[in-house]
Amino acid sequence: MARVCEICKKGPKAGNKISHAHNVTKRRWEVNLKSVRAQVGDSHVRLRVCTSCIRAGKVVKSVHGSKSKPIVAKAS
């Protein structure tokens, strides 16, 4: 499974790891992906989304237990 955000299509970046002795080896910077249960239309889908999209509000998280009765505040 690819390490790519399903919202913004952000993927891993490549670069070099440089030691104190300036030895250069290849490395990857991975995207911080989270598996999120999101609401898409009327259905609930599990998406792999980066944390920057979650924080920006680009994902509408679905509520677990949506089949249960809604909580109604009693009038006092």
Side-chain angles (χ1 to χ4, degrees):
M1 186 176 284
R3 300 275 304 172
V4 177
C5 174
E6 295 184 29
I7 302 295
C8 66
K9 308 300 184 208
K10 186 184 291 184
K13 303 294 180 209
N16 292 320
K17 178 171 65 173
I18 301 178
S19 70
H20 181 70
H22 210 280
N23 297 333
V24 179
T25 55
K26 288 288 190 182
R27 64 156 293 181
R28 280 168 54 122
W29 279 270
E30 298 287 352
V31 180
N32 191 5
L33 293 178
K34 301 293 178 190
S35 181
V36 175
R37 188 170 179 257
Q39 185 173 356
V40 178
D42 293 336
S43 62
H44 305 285
V45 182
R46 190 161 298 277
L47 300 173
R48 288 173 55 115
V49 183
C50 66
T51 55
S52 59
C53 286
I54 295 171
R55 292 175 65 190
K58 295 179 181 177
V59 179
V60 178
K61 289 186 176 181
S62 63
V63 179
H64 287 283
S66 61
K67 295 178 182 176
S68 63
K69 296 178 184 176
I71 299 171
V72 178
K74 295 181 181 179
S76 304

